[in-house]
Amino acid sequence: LIVRAQTSATNVRTSGISRTKERPLPRPSTRRASSKTMSQRSFIVSKQVLSRYKTITKKLSSLGANEILLDIDKFAFTANNMTYAHAGGPPLNYWNFYDNLLDDNLRKENGIIPVWGFATCTKSRNPIIAEGSRHYGFYPMASSVVYNPSKASTPSFTVARSDSELAAVYNSYLNTETDPFYASLSCENAMMVYRPLFLTSFFLDDYCSSKHQNVGHCVLTSASSKTAFGLAFQLRQRGVTVIGLTSERNLGFCESLGLYSGLYTYDSIGDIQSNETTVVVDMAGSHDVNLSIDKHFGTRVVESIGVGMTHNTVLFGDRTTLSDHAQATRKFFFAPAWIRRRIEEDATIMERAASSYVEFTQRSEEKRWLEFNTNLSVEEVYALSESNSVNPNQGLITRVQPTS
């Protein structure tokens, strides 16, 4: 990985929203937890009806040996998090990351969506992890969380999940004092929004170049999504022609990015003029969109890579109405598995990923692609995201308010 000085360019602005309307999130927690019984507030959603949600409070007992208590200062919520909810059950099992925070009765029908954010250690019985240290990682939508680290060092600690089949990439928590991606407080909003998404973008490009190095034409659905335009940024550097598909509402934003060779709305897929072999990368997860792509491109599609569900529909839809060719070439890309494989094959790849991340966030800052909104409650952020109503140039940052 690259050194801290090289990542200073990742300081993406947070001034895009009117400061007169913005309610800044509090500074990182400096309080120490009481040795008495503590409380945790968690934002939970119905697994079957994602539009149903509520916040619950439960008491936390005093810490046991080796345990740490972290106050979750803030987290980003993006379409990626809604994908976690839609893919909460088998085989990806995102609900299982934090089902231990719910009692048996709640767990049957409800779940906690994981998020990427920052937390401060407010109480520690671990000899390595200091009170006051701050950590970036994969947290629950909650005001706080207790971990019993299975491994700990100054740069990071690791937790062992109750479900050992969950992807290990989500189990490490990085100390901001030594994290090479971290520059200062001012970079945190960009990190929470972009870092997990751009890593997916980077490794999607790596996958495409590994599997389809002779294919110079790529179609991206949900072109306004951050993972999509991060991928477009990478593909263009390899000389790949990138066609974006988007809604009429988001067409102007996609044009302003300057990353796509052509842009089409979903109802104009038939207007795309190309006879080249094509890779499709599907962030939308819409069956209707995939059906239109299948009818228009037919056997010119060498692979259709399913990544996300920004349209908040069932993953892949009903494949049976797609052509035999489309069914055979449809694959799901699970970034953690590919990342693990590539790190084993190439010890330098994460260094290149970090360098590309710096370049991408620099461009985002220069072109003003993203504004951060810290003004909304967790309920407001979730309702906007679940209804697919977030403007593409918005990065939503929020928290679960602790008990007073």
Side-chain angles (χ1 to χ4, degrees):
L1 291 175
I2 54 178
V3 297
R4 184 190 303 271
Q6 290 176 286
T7 62
S8 61
T10 64
N11 293 352
V12 179
R13 67 194 175 92
T14 57
S15 60
I17 302 166
S18 170
R19 293 188 180 277
T20 60
K21 295 182 180 181
E22 186 173 353
R23 181 185 63 212
L25 293 171
R27 303 278 290 184
S29 177
T30 57
R31 72 177 181 86
R32 289 188 58 177
S34 167
S35 60
K36 299 179 181 179
T37 301
M38 302 163 288
S39 294
Q40 175 192 62
R41 299 186 74 230
S42 299
F43 184 86
I44 67 174
V45 303
S46 166
K47 295 177 181 178
Q48 300 302 318
V49 185
L50 294 177
S51 59
R52 297 178 184 171
Y53 53 86
K54 61 182 177 180
T55 303
I56 62 169
T57 303
K58 76 171 186 178
K59 292 182 178 180
L60 299 174
S61 300
S62 297
L63 297 184
N66 199 55
E67 289 186 331
I68 59 174
L69 172 69
L70 296 114
D71 283 357
I72 300 171
D73 301 318
K74 55 183 176 178
F75 53 83
F77 200 90
T78 69
N80 191 43
N81 300 101
M82 288 308 306
T83 296
Y84 295 158
H86 284 285
L92 301 184
N93 293 316
Y94 281 102
W95 295 130
N96 292 4
F97 278 96
Y98 290 108
D99 62 353
N100 63 309
L101 302 188
L102 304 176
D103 62 34
D104 291 341
N105 290 330
L106 278 173
R107 190 182 305 143
K108 292 177 183 177
E109 302 294 334
N110 302 282
I112 297 176
I113 301 173
V115 290
W116 294 94
F118 289 93
T120 301
C121 179
T122 53
K123 190 170 182 62
S124 175
R125 293 195 61 191
N126 184 286
I128 305 298
I129 303 168
E131 293 179 6
S133 59
R134 299 191 69 241
H135 303 267
Y136 170 83
F138 200 58
Y139 294 104
M141 293 180 74
S143 60
S144 58
V145 65
V146 173
Y147 290 135
N148 188 341
S150 56
K151 296 179 182 178
S153 64
T154 300
S156 67
F157 68 85
T158 302
V159 298
R161 308 290 182 184
S162 56
D163 181 351
S164 61
E165 298 299 315
L166 295 171
V169 71
Y170 298 115
N171 296 344
S172 294
Y173 294 80
L174 306 178
N175 191 320
T176 58
E177 291 296 319
T178 52
D179 180 3
F181 278 77
Y182 189 91
S184 66
L185 278 171
S186 63
C187 80
E188 290 185 352
N189 289 345
M191 278 185 64
M192 290 184 291
V193 172
Y194 273 144
R195 183 171 178 171
L197 301 179
F198 183 77
L199 283 176
T200 299
S201 303
F202 178 88
F203 282 99
L204 271 167
D205 176 56
D206 177 72
Y207 175 87
C208 290
S209 65
S210 298
K211 300 289 185 178
H212 306 291
Q213 58 181 335
N214 295 321
V215 177
H217 195 265
C218 192
V219 172
L220 309 185
T221 70
S222 194
S224 65
S225 70
K226 296 164 187 67
T227 306
F229 68 75
L231 175 57
F233 178 83
Q234 290 297 109
L235 290 168
R236 282 177 61 91
Q237 295 187 66
R238 292 198 294 112
V240 176
T241 298
V242 188
I243 302 298
L245 303 180
T246 189
S247 65
E248 185 71 39
R249 185 188 73 174
N250 294 335
L251 185 60
F253 171 75
C254 292
E255 290 172 341
S256 72
L257 295 171
L259 296 174
Y260 294 101
S261 301
L263 283 161
Y264 298 83
T265 58
Y266 294 116
D267 58 4
S268 63
I269 291 173
D271 295 337
I272 300 173
Q273 302 294 317
S274 174
N275 293 317
E276 296 185 47
T277 56
T278 298
V279 172
V280 175
V281 183
D282 179 28
M283 316 290 179
S286 165
H287 176 65
D288 290 342
V289 171
N290 281 284
L291 189 60
S292 296
I293 291 171
D294 181 26
K295 289 180 177 178
H296 181 67
F297 285 93
T299 57
R300 284 176 287 158
V301 175
V302 295
E303 186 174 359
S304 178
I305 305 167
V307 180
M309 289 167 281
T310 62
H311 286 199
N312 291 349
T313 55
V314 177
L315 185 62
F316 296 154
D318 179 9
R319 288 201 195 193
T320 60
T321 57
L322 297 173
S323 67
D324 290 344
H325 176 80
Q327 292 182 54
T329 55
R330 178 75 175 184
K331 302 289 169 42
F332 177 66
F333 179 81
F334 185 49
W338 183 255
I339 291 171
R340 182 176 64 250
R341 171 180 165 177
R342 293 293 288 122
I343 289 174
E344 291 172 355
E345 295 172 343
D346 182 355
T348 68
I349 195 163
M350 284 306 295
E351 183 176 346
R352 298 203 305 275
S355 180
S356 293
Y357 171 80
V358 170
E359 187 178 354
F360 173 76
T361 52
Q362 272 187 304
R363 180 72 64 84
S364 176
E365 164 64 11
E366 291 167 1
K367 300 295 184 180
R368 299 178 179 268
W369 287 341
L370 193 63
E371 299 176 350
F372 299 103
N373 189 340
T374 64
N375 188 46
L376 303 177
S377 69
V378 66
E379 292 84 3
E380 291 170 319
V381 164
Y382 182 77
L384 282 171
S385 301
E386 194 279 329
S387 62
N388 202 20
S389 301
V390 180
N391 290 330
N393 68 331
Q394 292 279 289
L396 301 183
I397 311 294
T398 190
R399 72 190 301 234
V400 176
Q401 292 292 338
T403 54
S404 56

